[in-house]
Amino acid sequence: TCNGGAALRATSMALNLNYCAELQGGEAFSIEHPTFGWRLYEIATVSGATVTFNPPLREAVTDGTAIEFDRPRCLMKLANSSAMDLNNTTYPFALASTTFVESKYAT
């Protein structure tokens, strides 16, 4: 959980960690914000119980807010309406790829 809260656009916060190994940096976590839904963050540095992360917080976080390390997630949408179209001109070696971008608001 968040220890003490964090302001909008903050890039660091103190955490209360229970039942886990020590953080090293590079771990992903998510927070379910009231307006924006699930958002994904990545830890850059760890100093005791305080971590720095990127990107900056999309919403302020209150003291005691749950931080999800076990199953981090985020809200995404297709980059454009044809993002999942399959090009069959190279059959039988067609390669498919999909492009997602972060969705602005939870629906």
Side-chain angles (χ1 to χ4, degrees), residues 6-50:
L8 171 69
R9 306 292 297 156
T11 57
S12 68
M13 77 170 75
L15 300 177
N16 289 324
L17 299 171
N18 298 319
Y19 309 111
C20 66
E22 288 189 33
L23 299 176
Q24 299 176 356
E27 294 91 351
F29 68 93
S30 60
I31 300 172
E32 186 175 15
H33 295 291
T35 304
F36 295 105
W38 287 104
R39 296 295 180 215
L40 188 67
Y41 302 94
E42 185 175 329
I43 293 177
T45 63
V46 179
S47 177
T50 302

